[in-house]
């Protein structure tokens, strides 16, 4: 087996080093690109491009690979060296994603966008493009975001309760057809036995989560952690007393929201307002 080089910030060719480590780990595991794709839910071509050095992939894909290969933090460290800017990937969010994959229950409050776990490819593409991504990098990030949604699929999928502020249903996409698909997907997801969806309409008053997307995860060991995010920062909250206070606020917001049946009717009304014909 080839000897691996030390991971340092002085690596001569960090992009090649990253690709090499991916190839070595897959060879050791004895899995094909197709098998890797089946295990992790992303297209095999993504992994092929990463192993050849043509693409760096996204943080989500790299995190999934770290978990699959049992190399916590190694591939992410190499990825950060390869992109040349460790600040692109926040440590707290990285830990949150690890916990999300292990959660036995999830709750979320979304201020202005559908939760990432329930976004369609069209929605993700426009949102990421608005942030400046283009070309292959955009394609990779779209695949990564959509891949996260597999957490909610399968017979053992965890229960997921989401409260959508009405603004998330009013901030439509530029393409009406893409927006229709997103709204229809929310309705479809709400029919799953493990997904409960509430809408919080305008006019329900101020509350403690007004400007903060908030996610809660109940873990296998019985703990609940939270991740709170606004436009400028995100924070992983693990202290029990703080999580409990935040969860009480979430429960207050849920009490103000529409029931799941009323929420479905509300989304259907929004969907009826979307033009059926493509924009010209």
């Amino acid at each position: 087996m080839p000897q691996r080089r030390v991971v340092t910030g002085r690596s001569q060719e960090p992009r090649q080093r990253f690709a090499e480590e991916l190839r070595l780990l897959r060879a050791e595991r004895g899995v094909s690109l197709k098998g890797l794709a089946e295990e992790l839910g992303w297209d095999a071509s993504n992994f092929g491009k990463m192993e050849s050095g043509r693409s760096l992939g996204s943080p989500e894909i790299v995190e999934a690979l770290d978990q699959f290969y049992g190399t916590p933090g190694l591939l992410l460290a190499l990825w950060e060296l390869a992109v040349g800017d460790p600040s692109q990937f926040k440590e707290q969010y990285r830990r949150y994603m690890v916990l999300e994959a292990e959660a036995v229950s999830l709750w979320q409050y979304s201020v202005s966008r559908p939760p990432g776990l329930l976004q369609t490819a069209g929605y993700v593409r426009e949102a990421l493009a608005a942030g400046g991504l283009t070309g292959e990098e955009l394609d990779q990030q779209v695949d990564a975001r959509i891949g996260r949604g597999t957490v909610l699929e399968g017979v053992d999928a965890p229960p997921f309760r989401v409260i959508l502020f009405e603004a998330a249903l009013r901030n439509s996409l530029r393409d009406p057809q893409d927006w229709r698909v997103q709204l229809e997907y929310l309705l479809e997801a709400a029919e799953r036995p493990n997904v409960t969806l509430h809408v919080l309409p305008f006019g329900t008053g101020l509350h403690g989560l007004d400007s903060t997307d908030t996610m809660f995860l109940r873990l296998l060991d019985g703990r609940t952690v939270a991740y709170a995010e606004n436009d400028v920062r995100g924070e992983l909250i693990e202290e029990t007393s703080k999580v409990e206070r935040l969860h009480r606020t979430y429960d207050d917001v849920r009490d103000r929201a529409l029931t799941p049946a009323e929420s479905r009717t509300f989304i259907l009304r929004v969907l009826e307002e979307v033009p059926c014909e493509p924009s010209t």
Side-chain angles (χ1 to χ4, degrees):
M1 182 188 305
Q3 183 177 1
R4 293 179 185 167
R5 292 173 290 185
V6 176
V7 180
T8 74
R10 298 178 181 176
S11 299
Q12 292 297 312
E13 298 175 329
R15 190 181 186 106
Q16 287 79 359
R17 172 73 176 88
F18 177 61
E20 176 191 49
E21 192 68 29
L22 292 174
R23 294 193 299 270
L24 286 169
L25 287 168
R26 186 167 62 82
E28 290 177 5
R29 191 65 176 260
V31 64
S32 65
L33 289 173
K34 181 179 179 182
L36 193 60
E38 291 172 352
E39 288 284 346
L40 299 183
W42 281 283
D43 192 271
S45 64
N46 291 331
F47 301 114
K49 291 176 182 177
M50 291 167 70
E51 290 187 11
S52 67
R54 288 179 292 158
S55 169
L56 290 174
S58 69
E60 291 87 350
I61 293 179
V62 179
E63 174 62 40
L65 287 167
D66 253 337
Q67 292 185 56
F68 179 73
Y69 290 132
T71 55
L74 171 65
L75 293 178
L76 280 167
L78 291 171
W79 180 85
E80 289 173 347
L81 290 173
V83 299
D85 182 6
S87 67
Q88 289 190 32
F89 195 53
K90 298 177 181 178
E91 177 67 29
Q92 290 194 339
Y93 187 63
R94 178 165 65 195
R95 175 159 169 73
Y96 167 76
M97 286 199 301
V98 173
L99 296 174
E100 180 184 79
E102 301 171 350
V104 296
S105 297
L106 306 94
W107 303 265
Q108 181 162 349
Y109 172 69
S110 293
V111 178
S112 60
R113 294 184 177 183
L117 294 176
L118 297 181
Q119 290 178 3
T120 60
Y123 192 100
V124 174
R125 182 170 294 277
E126 182 168 321
L128 294 178
L133 293 183
T134 59
E136 185 174 313
E137 184 181 9
L138 174 60
D139 293 338
Q140 292 282 345
Q141 294 280 12
V142 170
D143 288 343
R145 180 77 62 85
I146 296 303
R148 284 181 61 205
T150 58
V151 167
L152 300 179
E153 299 174 1
V155 293
D156 296 323
F160 179 46
R161 183 183 297 273
V162 58
I163 304 171
L164 290 177
F165 186 44
E166 185 176 344
L169 301 172
R170 299 299 182 185
N171 290 338
S172 59
L173 299 176
R174 289 192 296 268
D175 187 329
Q177 298 312 303
D178 282 345
W179 184 231
R180 288 188 65 86
V181 170
Q182 175 63 73
L183 293 175
E184 289 168 350
Y185 185 65
L186 290 175
L187 291 167
E188 174 192 324
E191 293 297 315
R192 300 180 197 171
N194 63 312
V195 176
T196 304
L197 190 152
H198 301 270
V199 172
L200 181 71
F202 292 140
T204 52
L206 299 177
H207 56 80
L209 302 180
D210 274 328
S211 60
T212 306
D213 279 354
T214 310
M215 292 74 83
F216 299 89
L217 308 174
R218 185 162 66 84
L219 307 177
L220 281 169
D221 61 9
R223 291 184 304 129
T224 298
V225 302
Y227 188 81
E229 185 175 54
N230 56 31
D231 289 340
V232 296
R233 68 187 296 267
E235 179 185 6
L236 181 65
I237 304 167
E238 299 186 74
E239 185 179 328
T240 301
S241 60
K242 292 182 178 180
V243 173
E244 180 62 26
R245 286 198 300 271
L246 197 58
H247 207 295
R248 286 199 295 268
T249 303
Y250 178 89
D251 287 343
D252 173 63
V253 175
R254 184 191 60 193
D255 290 343
R256 304 180 190 206
L258 302 177
T259 67
E262 293 169 337
S263 298
R264 177 177 174 79
T265 300
F266 191 100
I267 297 174
L268 281 169
R269 288 202 302 267
V270 175
L271 181 58
E272 290 172 356
E273 299 170 5
V274 180
C276 293
E277 298 299 323
S279 57
T280 56

